[in-house]
Structure formats: structure tokens, C-alpha cells
């Protein structure tokens, strides 16, 4: 596996321990409607732009609405040397946390 599976309950711990960057890959409109506090919005179609900005040593945690798109993107970035994780269940699962 070229990426890490991240459970919603572990996001904040990883952000602190690994200084992970949390990226919401949903559309700008969906992000404006609601997102995880502190997440940066880089829609999936802009991946080429932000991979040139983000380093390959700092962990990137991706999430989408349900988890499928972020998993596919995490797999691709991982194969290209990025330290990356994807949130299981995406934003839908994250919203269910207490």
C-alpha cells in the first residue's frame, strides 16, 4: 500500500504528531457549505497545481465526500513519493464524530 488509511477519530492526533496537512478535495462549493476545521480546499482537479507546492516529506491527509475519490488520489500520490493518507468514509464519516 502506498498510502495510509486514516480514521476520522485519528485526524487531529496525526495533525499534531506528524504535522499533517488536511486537504479537502471536494469542490469549492461543497467546501463552503461545510468542512473540517483547519482543512485546506484543493479540489481534486487542481492536484497538479498543489503537488508542485507541497513537499513530499510532510504528511498529507486527503478527504472527499465519501472516501472513494480521496483513496484513489492518495494511491496515486503515494506511488509518486508523497506521504499521504485518506480518511475512511470521507467528510460524511467525519461529521458523525462527537
Amino acid at each position: 500500500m502506498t498510502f495510509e488509511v486514516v480514521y476520522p477519530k485519528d485526524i487531529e492526533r496525526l495533525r499534531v504528531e506528524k504535522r499533517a496537512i488536511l486537504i479537502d478535495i471536494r469542490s469549492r462549493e461543497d467546501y463552503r457549505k461545510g468542512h473540517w476545521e483547519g482543512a485546506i480546499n484543493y479540489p481534486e482537479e487542481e492536484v497538479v497545481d498543489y503537488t508542485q507546492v507541497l513537499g513530499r516529506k510532510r504528511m498529507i491527509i486527503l478527504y472527499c465526500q465519501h472516501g472513494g475519490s480521496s483513496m484513489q488520489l492518495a494511491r496515486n500520490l503515494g506511488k509518486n513519493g508523497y506521504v499521504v493518507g485518506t480518511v475512511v468514509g470521507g467528510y460524511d464519516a467525519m461529521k458523525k464524530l462527537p
Side-chain angles (χ1 to χ4, degrees):
M1 188 179 325
T2 57
F3 62 92
E4 187 174 332
V5 173
V6 176
Y7 292 92
K9 65 179 180 61
D10 297 324
I11 293 170
E12 292 307 314
R13 179 183 57 79
L14 291 170
R15 288 177 74 183
V16 171
E17 288 177 5
K18 296 188 178 189
R19 294 187 36 220
I21 301 168
L22 183 62
I23 299 178
D24 182 329
I25 67 166
R26 299 174 305 144
S27 71
R28 298 216 185 276
E29 182 181 337
D30 286 341
Y31 179 83
R32 279 191 294 275
K33 289 178 183 176
H35 59 274
W36 190 263
E37 186 177 339
I40 300 167
N41 182 226
Y42 280 118
E44 185 176 11
E45 61 272 8
E46 295 177 20
V47 69
V48 174
D49 295 336
Y50 71 84
T51 57
Q52 296 173 5
V53 175
L54 298 172
R56 293 177 191 242
K57 294 183 181 181
R58 190 165 174 192
M59 184 178 197
I60 303 165
I61 300 173
L62 305 171
Y63 73 88
C64 59
Q65 193 67 42
H66 308 289
S69 295
S70 61
M71 183 177 289
Q72 183 177 1
L73 182 55
R75 183 178 293 118
N76 291 337
L77 289 173
K79 286 179 183 177
N80 287 299
Y82 288 86
V83 179
V84 64
T86 181
V87 178
V88 175
Y91 187 60
D92 287 343
M94 296 161 75
K95 292 188 302 186
K96 294 178 183 175
L97 287 178

